[in-house]
Structures are given as C-alpha cells and as structure tokens.
Amino acid sequence: MLLQLQYLLLVLIPLLSLLFFFFFNSNSNSNSKVPKSYPLVGSFFAILANRKRPLPWLSGIMQVSPSATFVLRRNYSTRQVFSGDPAVVQHILKTNFSNYGKGHVFNRTLTDFLGHGIFNIDGDSWKFQRQVSSHEFNTKSLRKFIETVVDTELSDRLIPILSSAAKQGTVLDFQDILQRFAFDNICKIAFGFDPAYLLPSLPQAKFALAFEDSVRISGERFSAVHPVIWKFKKLLNIGSEKRLKNAISEVREFALNIIKEKKQRLGEKESLDSVDLLSRFLSSGHSDENFVIDIVISFILAGRDTTSAALTWFFWLLWKNPEIESEILNEINEKSEAPVFDEVKDMVYTHASLCESMRLYPPVPIDSKEAVNDDVLPGGTVVKKGMRVTYFPYAMGRLEMLWGSDWAEFKPERWLQKEEESWKFVGRDPYTYPVFQAGPRICLGKEMAFLQMKRVVAGVLRRFKVVPAFEEGVNHEPEFVSYLTSKMKGGFPVKIVERDHLRHDETES
C-alpha cells in the first residue's frame, strides 16, 4: 500500500503541477520579478518552472529588487527571505547571530551525510569543534602545509601528470584533477593520511565516487519539488535515496578506517612528531567514533570541494582573459626566486584575481539560516520564527549596486590600488563579499585556501597554459551548477600546452 502511495505521489504531483502551471499561465522563465503567489500553493509553479536554473532565476529577481531583498512564498505556510543586502548579511551572520542558526530544515536534509559535523550544527558542539579546529590554522601550520604538503603534491604528482598530458596531447578533466589534488592535500594535513588519489593512472577509488554521489544527491534534496518526495524514497529505500544510503555507507567506512589507523599510531607512541586535526580531536576525550567520523567527512568536504571549485572557474576565466593571465605570469616570474611560502604570500595580483573569480563563481553560492525567534531585518522585512533567511553570494557578485555597471567583467583591478610601481590589495568587507561567510562562523581555512590556490596557480602557469577543450568549441560557456558546493557541469576538459613550446612557436613565427 505504501509503495502504491509513493508512485501515486510521484505521478500526480508533477501532473497537477503542470496543469496548474498552464492554467495560471505563469511565465516565470522569462520573468525576473518576484513570481505570483497563489492560495495554498504559493509560488510553487514558478519554482517548478525554474527548478533546473534556480541560481540565475533567483539572481534575476534580486537584481531588480530595489533593496536586493525579496520574500518567496513556497507554499501555503512556508516563506523564505532571499537577500543580497550587506546590511542583512551582517545582521544574520554577526549582529543577531544568536537568532540565526542552521535550523531544522538544513539539519534534517544533511544529517544523513554530514551528521553532527561542524557544518551542520549549532550551539556547544559547534563551538567545541571550531575551537579544536582553530589550532590547525596558525602560521606554523600554514607554512608547513604550503612548503611540504602542497609543494610535494604539486611537484611529485600534479606537474608530472600535466607534463605527460602536454607531451601526449591528451584531454584531461581539470576539475577532476583539481579535486584529486585537493583531496590528497586535506587528508595529509588534517588526518596525516595520504590517499594517493592523484596518481598517473587517475584511479577510480570507490570512496571518491561515493563521496561525489553523497554531495550531489544530498544537495539535490534541497531542490526537490517537495521534501516529501525524497523522504518517501528514503523510507522505501528506492531510487536516488537508495544510492545515497549506499554512498554514505562507503564514505563512513573510509572515514572509520582513517580513524582506526590514527588511533593505532597514537597508541604506538605517546605523541606524534606532527599533531594534525584528527589527532587533536581523538585526544580531546571524545570516544564516540560516529562523532569523529562526522568531523572527518566535514573537513574532506571543505578541503576537497571548495578550493577545487574556485580553481576550476579561475582557469576558465584566465583562458577568456589572456591579458590577465599575462599579468599573473609576470608576477609569478618576479617572485620565482623567493622561498615558496613568501612567494605565494606576496602574490598580490594573483590574490586579487582569485577574489574576482570567486565573486563571479563562488564555491558556496548560496546559504541559509533559520530564525530562532521573530525578527525584523534591516530594510524592514519581517521574519517569523522558523523562517529561512538566505544570503546569496552568487547573486551578490552580480549586483550593480555593489560592484558597479561593469559587474559582469572579470576585473582584478577592482581589488587593487596602485602604489608607485606596485599593487596594494584592497579587500571588501565580508558582508559585501561573503564568499567565506562572515561573523563568528567565518571560514577558518580562508588563508589556507588562498595559499594553496596561489601555489597551484604559480606552479601550473609557470610551466603550462591550460586550454579548454569543450566539444562545442572555443565559445562554449560551461554551466555553473550547485549542490552543496559549486561545480562546472560535465567537468572541465582541457589540453595542456608547455610554455617552452609556446615560446618556440612564437620564435619561429
């Protein structure tokens, strides 16, 4: 009987939705205004019509909203606030931080995957995890991360793979390569474990595939036509929810094996030469393996997916803007004699270029908080207890009121100020540019991420040119998609060209 009800719902909901959609003649695909709301169903039909393009649709609405804030009525009882107003972002992330947490919707949707890890919880457990984690991001640890972990992965694995691809003329999925690179790095620095995922054979590890499925399907839960659908599928263990269950099981087994190995090493000697993040948690008195597994999964997500997403779009933008690539290359060559850590720390133009890239293509394009109590946002929007307030880095990077009429241009100079013969970086406040969140939950790994990205950029561009190889041709525009983090849909196929080869061709011509 339950199975019949499930299939009935899966058939009836789309059919009824389409009937209502055509009956009300909702033209939401081409309309950037806040969609109409109808009795009982709210703006369900507009949401349904734009379910495959939610980011550009919602961004379009925000761009024409005078206050960059609007309220979307999802159904008869659910309203959600979307805002790109820096004053609202500051209000929910800092000023009234205690009133805005992850909330029940976020927590229920991601608990299967992230459990009670740092990105899925509030309160004392979040404070504890953040406090323990903060020790991993001091200057000594950052220097070690760049000079040993990242540099070794770059010179021993990434560069040889790119060199081989250049010689053989093969096409690589650069998004996949960068994810492998970041995955090895986060496992080494946080857990003292080398998964060796970036090898010349590019092994298809079961864990990595399972992790990718876990991220994608968990993210798709948020965009489901109605949560009841994924909940029924989970109850009956069918379809995507069955795949998610199997994937999460694989991921948790992988994390558990890392923990067991670390415990064994900690038991063999009283203190390790290097104390990593996992060692700190295991030494903090927490014996619940599920809790530590949640922590491991959360940090893999943070370390693997965000920096690789940022770099994927960065290299795409460099291809489209060769004059900026040339400026970055000049800076790389000027710094080439400096020690590794000092080199990447002082790459000002490259730092500005990465900020500009993430303005247009943020690794986490959208984030929500849930109101604990009634509130009024700056600008006057009323928020009731239990409502979600969503700030929107992807849309904010496209607001003329924040970035000017040239917001669509990739322009690192908007982050720079000329001082005599050099550039000085001029940052924006974290509420105008909340790519790394802001307030008490601002990203702990922000500086580590920038150092890692700049080291990759320097190491790759010094020797190679990354050339997109989409089948559709040079003018193909890749699609920006978001699950829990952003991705380039279908991957980023590229050819690698040695710069020595380029210089040789230029000399001959």
Side-chain angles (χ1 to χ4, degrees):
M1 182 64 185
L2 192 58
L3 185 61
Q4 291 174 333
L5 178 61
Q6 159 72 5
Y7 284 119
L8 186 64
L9 281 169
L10 290 174
V11 172
L12 283 180
I13 288 177
L15 286 177
L16 288 173
S17 301
L18 288 172
L19 285 172
F20 274 111
F21 175 76
F22 288 115
F23 178 78
F24 286 114
N25 192 29
S26 173
N27 296 316
S28 301
N29 255 329
S30 58
N31 189 357
S32 60
K33 295 180 181 178
V34 178
K36 290 181 179 179
S37 178
Y38 301 103
L40 297 180
V41 295
S43 298
F44 175 80
F45 311 115
I47 295 169
L48 178 67
N50 292 282
R51 69 193 183 281
K52 293 185 178 179
R53 53 182 299 276
L55 294 179
W57 174 56
L58 292 169
S59 295
I61 297 173
M62 189 170 289
Q63 285 172 327
V64 299
S65 300
S67 63
T69 301
F70 64 92
V71 180
L72 186 66
R73 189 179 170 201
R74 290 191 169 277
N75 54 48
Y76 70 95
S77 63
T78 304
R79 295 192 307 149
Q80 184 174 355
V81 179
F82 289 85
S83 184
D85 181 355
V88 171
V89 177
Q90 183 171 2
H91 182 80
I92 65 172
L93 296 187
K94 182 183 178 183
T95 310
N96 205 11
F97 173 78
S98 60
N99 192 51
Y100 292 94
K102 290 292 184 179
H104 299 297
V105 172
F106 195 96
N107 188 267
R108 283 196 303 266
T109 305
L110 295 182
T111 292
D112 290 331
F113 179 40
L114 297 181
H116 296 92
I118 191 170
F119 302 120
N120 199 38
I121 54 163
D122 301 299
D124 291 339
S125 184
W126 165 73
K127 289 179 183 177
F128 166 74
Q129 291 185 49
R130 188 174 176 88
Q131 182 182 21
V132 174
S133 303
S134 65
H135 296 293
E136 195 64 26
F137 300 98
N138 57 53
T139 302
K140 182 180 178 181
S141 294
L142 292 175
R143 183 179 288 274
K144 174 196 169 187
F145 177 61
I146 294 303
E147 293 182 345
T148 58
V149 176
V150 175
D151 212 48
T152 300
E153 186 78 7
L154 183 72
S155 59
D156 292 356
R157 292 178 181 170
L158 181 59
I159 296 300
I161 286 174
L162 298 184
S163 182
S164 175
K167 289 175 183 175
Q168 297 175 21
T170 54
V171 174
L172 296 175
D173 179 355
F174 207 40
Q175 179 169 251
D176 176 58
I177 295 293
L178 291 168
Q179 284 180 340
R180 290 169 182 268
F181 180 87
F183 176 51
D184 280 357
N185 282 336
I186 191 62
C187 286
K188 287 179 186 177
I189 194 65
F191 317 133
F193 170 79
D194 180 10
Y197 193 38
L198 186 63
L199 293 178
S201 61
L202 300 179
Q204 288 300 314
K206 285 179 65 179
F207 162 79
L209 296 173
F211 197 90
E212 189 69 26
D213 281 345
S214 299
V215 171
R216 178 179 54 80
I217 299 172
S218 294
E220 287 173 348
R221 283 179 169 184
F222 286 107
S223 56
V225 174
H226 196 284
V228 71
I229 295 179
W230 72 257
K231 289 177 181 178
F232 265 108
K233 288 164 75 175
K234 179 184 175 182
L235 181 66
L236 299 173
N237 194 30
I238 61 172
S240 58
E241 287 297 314
K242 181 177 181 179
R243 293 196 300 274
L244 178 62
K245 181 181 179 180
N246 292 336
I248 289 173
S249 177
E250 184 73 36
V251 169
R252 295 188 74 81
E253 182 180 352
F254 176 86
L256 180 60
N257 288 335
I258 291 177
I259 293 165
K260 286 180 176 177
E261 182 179 322
K262 177 62 68 175
K263 281 183 173 179
Q264 182 178 349
R265 291 180 61 203
L266 286 170
E268 288 173 354
K269 50 184 178 177
E270 292 183 6
S271 64
L272 296 176
D273 296 334
S274 174
V275 180
D276 52 45
L277 183 73
L278 182 54
S279 300
R280 294 184 194 279
F281 276 107
L282 290 173
S283 302
S284 66
H286 280 267
S287 58
D288 182 357
E289 282 187 339
N290 284 323
F291 175 73
V292 184
I293 286 172
D294 294 342
I295 292 168
V296 169
I297 292 172
S298 292
F299 276 89
I300 291 175
L301 176 66
R304 168 189 178 268
D305 283 24
T306 53
T307 54
S308 61
L311 285 169
T312 296
W313 289 100
F314 179 76
F315 279 101
W316 159 252
L317 285 170
L318 289 191
W319 164 251
K320 291 182 67 180
N321 298 271
E323 71 286 353
I324 294 174
E325 181 180 17
S326 180
E327 282 290 327
I328 292 172
L329 197 56
N330 288 338
E331 182 175 66
I332 291 169
N333 291 331
E334 287 172 7
K335 306 289 183 184
S336 61
E337 300 301 319
V340 170
F341 184 78
D342 295 327
E343 174 194 23
V344 296
K345 185 167 61 67
D346 296 334
M347 290 170 66
V348 176
Y349 192 88
T350 305
H351 191 98
S353 301
L354 286 163
C355 289
E356 180 71 348
S357 175
M358 288 187 285
R359 174 181 70 82
L360 293 167
Y361 300 109
V364 182
I366 193 167
D367 194 13
S368 291
K369 306 297 178 185
E370 187 176 301
V372 177
N373 296 299
D374 294 353
D375 192 20
V376 178
L377 299 176
T381 302
V382 175
V383 176
K384 295 295 183 182
K385 177 181 178 179
M387 279 179 63
R388 282 194 289 162
V389 180
T390 299
Y391 70 99
F392 204 165
Y394 178 86
M396 292 176 74
R398 288 159 170 73
L399 291 181
E400 185 173 338
M401 62 181 277
L402 299 181
W403 301 99
S405 59
D406 63 350
W407 65 262
E409 295 181 31
F410 179 51
K411 188 176 177 183
E413 287 76 14
R414 73 175 84 242
W415 297 85
L416 297 166
Q417 179 178 312
K418 198 75 172 178
E419 287 192 349
E420 296 180 357
E421 298 300 316
S422 61
W423 290 109
K424 177 185 177 183
F425 180 78
V426 181
R428 301 295 289 266
D429 70 86
Y431 310 106
T432 300
Y433 183 73
V435 168
F436 292 90
Q437 283 211 53
R441 291 193 86 129
I442 193 167
C443 177
L444 283 170
K446 177 181 176 180
E447 188 176 356
M448 180 177 280
F450 271 116
L451 290 171
Q452 179 179 196
M453 290 189 291
K454 286 190 283 187
R455 184 68 191 104
V456 172
V457 170
V460 172
L461 290 187
R462 185 178 283 124
R463 289 193 53 179
F464 308 105
K465 188 173 184 65
V466 179
V467 182
F470 293 104
E471 291 183 6
E472 291 84 348
V474 174
N475 295 322
H476 173 78
E477 285 285 339
E479 184 178 347
F480 182 89
V481 293
S482 175
Y483 302 116
L484 300 182
T485 55
S486 64
K487 290 279 192 295
M488 188 177 283
K489 187 175 182 179
F492 184 26
V494 302
K495 285 194 172 183
I496 306 298
V497 181
E498 291 268 8
R499 290 205 179 272
D500 286 343
H501 180 67
L502 286 173
R503 284 192 287 270
H504 178 68
D505 286 351
E506 290 170 359
T507 302
E508 286 190 340
S509 62

